[in-house]
Short mmCIF file of all heavy atoms in Angstrom, two decimals:
data_model
loop_
_atom_site.label_atom_id
_atom_site.label_comp_id
_atom_site.label_asym_id
_atom_site.label_seq_id
_atom_site.Cartn_x
_atom_site.Cartn_y
_atom_site.Cartn_z
N SER A 781 86.40 104.04 80.54
CA SER A 781 85.68 104.79 79.53
C SER A 781 86.20 104.63 78.17
O SER A 781 85.51 104.82 77.22
CB SER A 781 85.70 106.33 79.93
OG SER A 781 87.10 106.60 80.08
N GLU A 782 87.40 104.12 78.03
CA GLU A 782 88.08 104.06 76.63
C GLU A 782 88.33 102.68 76.27
O GLU A 782 89.00 102.50 75.21
CB GLU A 782 89.25 104.99 76.57
CG GLU A 782 89.02 106.41 76.77
CD GLU A 782 90.27 107.28 76.85
OE1 GLU A 782 91.40 106.77 76.36
OE2 GLU A 782 90.14 108.51 77.36
N GLY A 783 88.04 101.61 77.13
CA GLY A 783 88.51 100.27 76.66
C GLY A 783 89.86 100.07 77.06
O GLY A 783 90.69 101.00 77.64
N ALA A 784 90.41 98.92 76.76
CA ALA A 784 91.82 98.64 77.16
C ALA A 784 92.83 99.68 76.63
O ALA A 784 93.70 100.04 77.46
CB ALA A 784 92.26 97.26 76.66
N VAL A 785 92.64 100.09 75.44
CA VAL A 785 93.67 101.07 74.89
C VAL A 785 93.78 102.22 75.68
O VAL A 785 94.88 102.94 75.78
CB VAL A 785 93.24 101.39 73.46
CG1 VAL A 785 92.06 102.30 73.44
CG2 VAL A 785 94.32 101.99 72.73
N GLY A 786 92.73 102.75 76.31
CA GLY A 786 92.85 104.01 77.14
C GLY A 786 93.86 104.02 78.28
O GLY A 786 94.40 104.98 78.74
N GLY A 787 94.08 102.84 78.79
CA GLY A 787 95.09 102.66 79.90
C GLY A 787 96.47 102.53 79.57
O GLY A 787 97.31 102.46 80.48
N TYR A 788 96.93 102.73 78.46
CA TYR A 788 98.14 102.24 77.81
C TYR A 788 98.91 103.24 76.90
O TYR A 788 99.52 102.85 75.94
CB TYR A 788 98.16 100.81 77.28
CG TYR A 788 97.83 99.78 78.31
CD1 TYR A 788 96.50 99.33 78.36
CD2 TYR A 788 98.63 99.28 79.29
CE1 TYR A 788 96.15 98.36 79.08
CE2 TYR A 788 98.39 98.24 80.05
CZ TYR A 788 97.03 97.86 80.13
OH TYR A 788 96.59 96.94 81.03
N TRP A 789 98.80 104.48 77.30
CA TRP A 789 99.53 105.52 76.49
C TRP A 789 100.76 106.00 77.16
O TRP A 789 101.36 106.97 76.61
CB TRP A 789 98.52 106.65 76.28
CG TRP A 789 97.38 106.37 75.22
CD1 TRP A 789 96.33 105.69 75.63
CD2 TRP A 789 97.33 106.75 73.92
NE1 TRP A 789 95.55 105.58 74.55
CE2 TRP A 789 96.15 106.33 73.53
CE3 TRP A 789 98.28 107.54 73.07
CZ2 TRP A 789 95.77 106.43 72.07
CZ3 TRP A 789 97.76 107.77 71.70
CH2 TRP A 789 96.52 107.14 71.34
N GLY A 790 101.10 105.37 78.21
CA GLY A 790 102.26 105.94 79.10
C GLY A 790 103.63 105.59 78.53
O GLY A 790 103.74 104.53 77.78
N LEU A 791 104.55 106.50 78.89
CA LEU A 791 106.03 106.15 78.50
C LEU A 791 106.52 105.23 79.63
O LEU A 791 107.45 104.53 79.41
CB LEU A 791 106.77 107.47 78.53
CG LEU A 791 106.19 108.40 77.54
CD1 LEU A 791 106.98 109.84 77.67
CD2 LEU A 791 106.30 107.99 76.13
N PHE A 792 106.04 105.26 80.80
CA PHE A 792 106.21 104.32 81.84
C PHE A 792 104.86 103.65 82.27
O PHE A 792 103.83 104.14 82.03
CB PHE A 792 106.77 105.03 83.03
CG PHE A 792 108.11 105.78 82.88
CD1 PHE A 792 107.95 107.13 82.35
CD2 PHE A 792 109.15 105.18 83.11
CE1 PHE A 792 109.22 107.84 82.16
CE2 PHE A 792 110.51 105.85 82.88
CZ PHE A 792 110.43 107.12 82.42
N ASP A 793 105.00 102.43 82.83
CA ASP A 793 103.67 101.63 83.08
C ASP A 793 103.16 102.15 84.43
O ASP A 793 103.74 103.18 85.04
CB ASP A 793 103.88 100.19 83.16
CG ASP A 793 104.74 99.69 84.22
OD1 ASP A 793 104.97 100.45 85.28
OD2 ASP A 793 105.24 98.54 84.19
N ALA A 794 102.02 101.67 84.85
CA ALA A 794 101.41 102.22 86.07
C ALA A 794 102.20 101.92 87.36
O ALA A 794 101.99 102.69 88.29
CB ALA A 794 99.99 101.52 86.20
N ASP A 795 103.18 101.11 87.33
CA ASP A 795 103.99 101.00 88.42
C ASP A 795 105.34 101.63 88.34
O ASP A 795 106.22 101.53 89.09
CB ASP A 795 104.36 99.41 88.55
CG ASP A 795 103.19 98.41 88.83
OD1 ASP A 795 102.50 98.82 89.83
OD2 ASP A 795 102.95 97.44 88.29
N ARG A 796 105.22 102.54 87.35
CA ARG A 796 106.37 103.41 87.19
C ARG A 796 107.67 102.79 86.66
O ARG A 796 108.78 103.27 86.83
CB ARG A 796 106.75 104.30 88.42
CG ARG A 796 105.90 105.51 88.67
CD ARG A 796 104.41 105.24 88.62
NE ARG A 796 103.66 106.47 88.92
CZ ARG A 796 102.34 106.77 88.77
NH1 ARG A 796 101.67 105.70 88.35
NH2 ARG A 796 101.73 107.93 88.96
N GLN A 797 107.44 101.61 86.00
CA GLN A 797 108.50 100.91 85.48
C GLN A 797 108.74 101.42 83.93
O GLN A 797 107.76 101.60 83.19
CB GLN A 797 108.35 99.41 85.47
CG GLN A 797 108.24 98.86 86.91
CD GLN A 797 109.41 99.14 87.63
OE1 GLN A 797 110.52 98.72 87.30
NE2 GLN A 797 109.18 99.73 88.77
N ASP A 798 109.92 101.45 83.53
CA ASP A 798 110.17 101.81 82.18
C ASP A 798 109.76 100.88 81.09
O ASP A 798 110.03 99.70 81.26
CB ASP A 798 111.77 102.06 81.94
CG ASP A 798 112.20 102.80 80.72
OD1 ASP A 798 111.25 102.97 79.89
OD2 ASP A 798 113.41 103.04 80.59
N LYS A 799 108.96 101.34 80.20
CA LYS A 799 108.45 100.41 79.15
C LYS A 799 109.50 100.41 77.87
O LYS A 799 109.16 99.68 76.94
CB LYS A 799 107.07 100.88 78.53
CG LYS A 799 106.01 100.78 79.55
CD LYS A 799 104.75 101.65 79.41
CE LYS A 799 104.13 101.20 78.12
NZ LYS A 799 102.82 102.07 77.94
N GLY A 800 110.53 101.02 78.00
CA GLY A 800 111.51 101.05 76.92
C GLY A 800 111.09 101.94 75.67
O GLY A 800 111.59 101.70 74.59
N ILE A 801 110.18 102.86 75.88
CA ILE A 801 109.68 103.74 74.97
C ILE A 801 110.71 104.77 74.42
O ILE A 801 110.79 105.02 73.13
CB ILE A 801 108.36 104.44 75.28
CG1 ILE A 801 107.32 103.35 75.71
CG2 ILE A 801 107.80 105.17 74.10
CD1 ILE A 801 107.01 102.33 74.78
N LEU A 802 111.38 105.27 75.30
CA LEU A 802 112.35 106.42 74.93
C LEU A 802 113.67 106.09 74.47
O LEU A 802 114.41 106.78 73.81
CB LEU A 802 112.47 107.48 76.11
CG LEU A 802 111.01 108.03 76.40
CD1 LEU A 802 111.16 108.93 77.60
CD2 LEU A 802 110.45 108.88 75.33
N GLU A 803 114.20 105.02 75.09
CA GLU A 803 115.63 104.57 74.84
C GLU A 803 115.86 103.14 74.93
O GLU A 803 115.08 102.53 75.80
CB GLU A 803 116.62 105.37 75.67
CG GLU A 803 116.48 105.21 77.19
CD GLU A 803 117.44 105.88 78.06
OE1 GLU A 803 118.56 106.01 77.55
OE2 GLU A 803 117.10 106.46 79.16
N GLY A 804 116.81 102.56 74.42
CA GLY A 804 117.22 101.12 74.55
C GLY A 804 116.25 100.29 73.71
O GLY A 804 115.32 100.74 73.16
#
């Protein structure tokens, strides 16, 4: 419903892996 951008606001990815948003 929101295009690609809608699926990528997470601090962790959909596999629950750390995206490095909060630290490091």
Side-chain angles (χ1 to χ4, degrees):
S781 58
E782 299 178 13
V785 71
Y788 295 99
W789 289 76
L791 305 172
F792 299 86
D793 68 20
D795 292 313
R796 278 47 181 177
Q797 299 301 305
D798 191 353
K799 291 163 62 175
I801 305 303
L802 298 176
E803 61 178 327

